[in-house]
Amino acid sequence: MICFRIWRSFIASVLVQVCALEALAQPNGGFPLLTNLPSIRLLSRDEANRGFPVEVCGVVTFADANAGMTIIQNGEEGLYIRTPPMDEKLKRGDEVLVTATTTGSFHNFLIGPQFRILGVNRALPAPIRLEGPTVTNMTLDAVAATVRGTVEQVKMEGPRWTLWTRQNGRTFAIELFRTPN
């Protein structure tokens, strides 16, 4: 009687695991489709480098077609997308559906994107206010933010500006990208 129950439990467990794996299976390398920005951010660097398929919506907060950079934001989450130089230029405020794959480096981001514009002139997300420890919270990269502090040094390299800023006795770097005219 005990052997039968254990065997039945084992078969049920295996069936549940097989069904769960089949539900996760996707055509792209067997990885599940990621559909929100937090799920991309939560991947480890190694996981992101496996190239998970992604389909997410967001509002473009920065786009430079020549430099191959786009940032989208959805609520309080933002994400950098590496783009090839594009003929079609995205604009701040465009609401887009992005189909791409993940990759990882210092932060996770997207590569090989396809953009579908869902709307134009959408309201930009309200910037979050960074103070104290949140200033150096690296999960807030690619998010519209405001910071109050004293700028001590500025370094400009093309569209990239680095502002060395002091707030409450702590110095930190803020990286800004100028939107092309």
Side-chain angles (χ1 to χ4, degrees):
M1 194 71 135
I2 293 174
C3 289
F4 176 71
R5 284 186 192 155
I6 292 172
W7 181 250
R8 189 174 65 190
S9 294
F10 173 75
I11 290 173
S13 174
V14 168
L15 286 174
V16 167
Q17 291 174 3
V18 167
C19 290
L21 288 173
E22 286 178 0
L24 287 176
Q26 297 291 323
N28 188 356
F31 297 124
L33 178 67
L34 303 180
T35 58
N36 61 63
L37 299 182
S39 64
I40 298 163
R41 188 175 294 284
L42 291 174
L43 294 173
S44 70
R45 181 186 307 183
D46 290 338
E47 290 171 329
N49 280 325
R50 291 184 187 144
F52 279 75
V54 173
E55 190 171 278
V56 294
C57 290
V59 175
V60 175
T61 57
F62 177 83
D64 184 341
N66 297 325
M69 298 171 47
T70 300
I71 295 175
I72 64 167
Q73 194 168 333
N74 187 326
E76 291 189 358
E77 289 284 333
L79 193 65
Y80 166 72
I81 304 168
R82 182 181 295 159
T83 59
M86 299 181 289
D87 292 333
E88 178 186 340
K89 294 188 180 187
L90 298 172
K91 296 178 187 67
R92 287 182 62 176
D94 285 349
E95 182 180 13
V96 294
L97 174 66
V98 183
T99 304
T101 56
T102 61
T103 193
S105 181
F106 184 62
H107 293 284
N108 298 339
F109 57 96
L110 302 181
I111 56 173
Q114 298 285 322
F115 293 96
R116 190 172 102 213
I117 297 176
L118 304 175
V120 296
N121 299 321
R122 299 289 197 236
L124 295 175
I128 60 173
R129 186 179 177 106
L130 300 180
E131 294 183 272
T134 62
V135 168
T136 55
N137 182 343
M138 296 310 292
T139 64
L140 297 174
D141 69 316
V143 174
T146 61
V147 177
R148 179 173 285 207
T150 304
V151 176
E152 296 181 332
Q153 181 181 355
V154 176
K155 181 179 180 183
M156 294 181 285
E157 295 175 348
R160 181 185 196 158
W161 293 21
T162 304
L163 308 175
W164 292 95
T165 308
R166 179 174 291 280
Q167 181 189 78
N168 300 327
R170 295 178 66 192
T171 301
F172 53 92
I174 300 172
E175 289 190 345
L176 304 173
F177 294 91
R178 290 181 298 167
T179 304
N181 294 335

